């Protein structure tokens, strides 16, 4: 998971969800049911939206795309707004789970979201009809300068026996295989069985060196000096550096994943008009800035970036890297049902060894 999850927020979320299921209550102008990553929005923004619009927000959280997808697919909980990642958006489009967006009712999107982010989104939303970028970033290696005494510029260091029991890997099939595939020079969207078998074998060989496969815990472990190296999302890296100045973030030379999380509206959304109002509100520069300052994940909102007062953050190579400086950058693709099954089976083999 790329997002920080606080227990108190989760408890509030659970209460809101139970309230939604039990009473169906709404504000004076109805409600909007939002399904987002954990700790991926400033709670004050939700309060401000309710006060400004009179629309009651029912807010629910998920840890991974793979947890989110079956809930939306089943339709047991009718969400109005969801925030999936790139490849999962393509899967949702292919399986007819999303409604085309009416951009006339979401004017802040075209006005403030950078054109390059919409262009990048074409890789998973070919017609540009279904998604509006919310956050973006890279995946790299976070390392502790007091514990690592050599250059960190390659995924290879995660296989260095010198750092046995001091390495943290993402507990995610696509992220783990991305690291192994990129390390070998292959595409992180590979469906070549020989390349995937080699990646699986590499991950199995690495296992004795790995302290833990984690999601959000990589942030806290690295801040606390419990590990020397960890695979992490760039937004988390910005936060960890604030808490521990001994930490550095790098994008390995072999390349990495450049991801986008975007707002979408499920086809069965019961409050479509309120969903459009919510997304448009999220695209307002002052609101996008509040979210960026709270979650520290890069914003595609050019209006918000102009409002950033801290020059170091505004020009941060972590938050806003010049991607032209890097080679072999990719965005995750949806690999189809057979591709998903292949990766999941190989991941089970890795975890079972």
């Amino acid at each position: 998971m790329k997002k920080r999850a606080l227990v108190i927020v989760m408890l509030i979320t659970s209460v809101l969800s139970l309230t939604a299921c039990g009473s169906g209550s709404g504000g004076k102008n109805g409600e909007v049911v939002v399904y987002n990553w954990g700790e991926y929005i400033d709670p004050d923004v939700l309060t401000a939206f309710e006060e400004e619009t009179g629309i009651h927000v029912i807010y629910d959280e998920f840890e991974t795309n793979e947890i989110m997808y079956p809930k939306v697919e089943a339709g047991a909980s009718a969400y109005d707004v969801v925030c999936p990642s790139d490849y999962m958006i393509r899967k949702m489009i292919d399986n007819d789970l999303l409604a085309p967006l009416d951009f006339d009712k979401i004017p802040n999107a075209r006005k403030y979201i950078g054109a390059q982010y919409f262009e990048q989104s074409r890789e998973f939303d070919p017609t540009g009809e279904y998604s509006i970028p919310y956050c973006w970033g890279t995946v790299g290696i976070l390392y502790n300068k007091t514990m690592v005494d050599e250059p960190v510029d390659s995924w290879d260091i995660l296989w260095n026996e010198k750092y046995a029991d001091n390495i943290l890997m993402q507990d995610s099939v696509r992220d783990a295989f991305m690291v192994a595939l990129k390390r070998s020079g292959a595409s992180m969207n590979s469906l070549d069985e020989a390349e995937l078998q080699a990646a699986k074998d590499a991950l199995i060989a690495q296992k004795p060196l790995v302290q833990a496969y984690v999601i959000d815990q990589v942030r806290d472990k690295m801040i606390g000096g419990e590990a020397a190296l960890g695979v992490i999302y760039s937004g988390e890296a910005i936060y960890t550096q604030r808490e521990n100045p001994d930490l550095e973030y790098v994008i390995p030379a072999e390349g990495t994943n450049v991801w986008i999380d975007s707002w979408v509206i499920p086809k069965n959304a019961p409050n479509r008009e309120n969903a459009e109002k919510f997304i448009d509100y999220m695209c307002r520069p002052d609101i996008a800035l509040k979210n960026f300052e709270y979650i520290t994940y890069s914003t595609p909102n050019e209006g918000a970036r102009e409002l950033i007062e801290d020059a170091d953050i505004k020009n941060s190579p972590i938050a806003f890297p010049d991607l032209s400086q890097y080679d072999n950058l990719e965005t995750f693709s949806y690999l189809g049902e057979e591709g998903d099954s292949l990766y999941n089976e190989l991941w089970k083999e890795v975890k079972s060894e």
Side-chain angles (χ1 to χ4, degrees):
M1 184 178 71
K2 357 186 208 283
K3 336 304 177 198
R4 300 190 299 277
L6 299 179
V7 172
I8 189 168
V9 174
M10 294 293 285
L11 289 173
I12 292 171
T13 296
S14 297
V15 171
L16 288 174
S17 297
L18 288 171
T19 300
C21 293
S23 67
S25 61
K28 64 181 180 181
N29 291 322
E31 63 189 21
V32 62
V33 186
V34 181
Y35 198 23
N36 196 8
W37 296 85
E39 195 67 2
Y40 211 34
I41 201 168
D42 185 338
D44 289 343
V45 165
L46 300 179
T47 301
F49 175 79
E50 289 187 327
E51 292 175 348
E52 186 170 319
T53 65
I55 298 169
H56 175 53
V57 180
I58 299 170
Y59 194 77
D60 201 0
E61 297 178 341
F62 57 87
E63 289 188 340
T64 68
N65 285 291
E66 286 69 28
I67 289 173
M68 173 277 299
Y69 180 84
K71 288 190 68 175
V72 174
E73 182 183 37
S77 298
Y79 296 107
D80 299 308
V81 181
V82 185
C83 188
S85 301
D86 31 57
Y87 70 98
M88 192 57 71
I89 292 172
R90 182 56 183 265
K91 181 175 182 177
M92 296 172 85
I93 293 171
D94 288 356
N95 287 284
D96 198 28
L97 296 181
L98 300 182
L101 301 175
D102 184 347
F103 282 87
D104 289 338
K105 295 181 180 178
I106 313 174
N108 285 329
R110 295 296 191 199
K111 187 174 182 180
Y112 295 112
I113 303 299
Q116 68 268 33
Y117 303 105
F118 279 113
E119 185 60 32
Q120 184 181 338
S121 297
R122 295 281 181 163
E123 294 187 33
F124 53 87
D125 181 5
T127 63
E129 295 178 83
Y130 296 95
S131 63
I132 292 175
Y134 173 55
C135 291
W136 71 281
T138 59
V139 180
I141 298 173
L142 187 71
Y143 69 98
N144 190 312
K145 293 181 289 186
T146 69
M147 302 170 73
V148 179
D149 56 6
E150 60 197 278
V152 180
D153 55 12
S154 168
W155 294 114
D156 278 340
I157 199 167
L158 301 178
W159 275 260
N160 190 329
E161 294 183 0
K162 179 179 177 180
Y163 301 105
D165 201 39
N166 263 314
I167 296 169
L168 301 173
M169 287 288 287
Q170 287 285 322
D171 191 9
S172 161
V173 54
R174 293 299 299 269
D175 288 323
F177 271 86
M178 181 277 289
V179 172
L181 287 165
K182 281 296 188 184
R183 175 175 178 254
S184 69
S187 167
M188 66 186 196
N189 294 309
S190 176
L191 286 173
D192 182 286
E193 291 197 22
E195 291 178 345
L196 290 173
Q197 286 291 337
K200 180 202 75 173
D201 292 342
L203 290 171
I204 290 173
Q206 181 203 34
K207 279 190 72 175
L209 311 179
V210 176
Q211 179 191 119
Y213 294 92
V214 290
I215 302 178
D216 56 316
Q217 298 96 328
V218 63
R219 172 182 63 101
D220 300 322
K221 282 179 172 287
M222 292 299 295
I223 290 172
E226 297 178 40
L229 299 145
V231 178
I232 199 168
Y233 287 83
S234 53
E236 297 283 16
I238 295 170
Y239 177 82
T240 60
Q241 285 187 322
R242 290 179 181 173
E243 301 296 314
N244 185 341
D246 291 328
L247 300 176
E248 290 286 348
Y249 176 82
V250 296
I251 296 174
E254 300 94 339
T256 191
N257 171 25
V258 179
W259 53 267
I260 295 181
D261 292 341
S262 301
W263 298 118
V264 300
I265 298 179
K267 199 170 184 179
N268 67 337
N271 303 293
R272 168 101 187 220
E273 184 177 342
N274 287 346
E276 293 164 341
K277 290 179 180 178
F278 180 86
I279 295 173
D280 193 56
Y281 189 80
M282 293 300 112
C283 293
R284 222 171 71 183
D286 59 321
I287 299 303
L289 177 64
K290 281 180 65 69
N291 283 327
F292 169 70
E293 291 175 339
Y294 184 83
I295 66 177
T296 67
Y297 276 84
S298 304
T299 176
N301 192 302
E302 294 183 344
R305 189 175 177 187
E306 290 177 4
L307 296 175
I308 298 173
E309 296 181 355
D310 187 327
D312 289 339
I313 292 296
K314 192 171 188 176
N315 301 307
S316 166
I318 299 177
F320 303 104
D322 178 2
L323 298 181
S324 67
Q325 296 181 3
Y326 301 95
D327 295 323
N328 304 315
L329 301 178
E330 295 182 86
T331 297
F332 277 134
S333 298
Y334 171 49
L335 303 175
E337 296 296 335
E338 291 186 6
D340 279 355
S341 295
L342 176 58
Y343 270 77
N344 288 334
E345 285 303 314
L346 293 172
W347 183 233
K348 286 178 183 177
E349 292 182 40
V350 172
K351 296 299 288 287
S352 66
E353 284 292 329

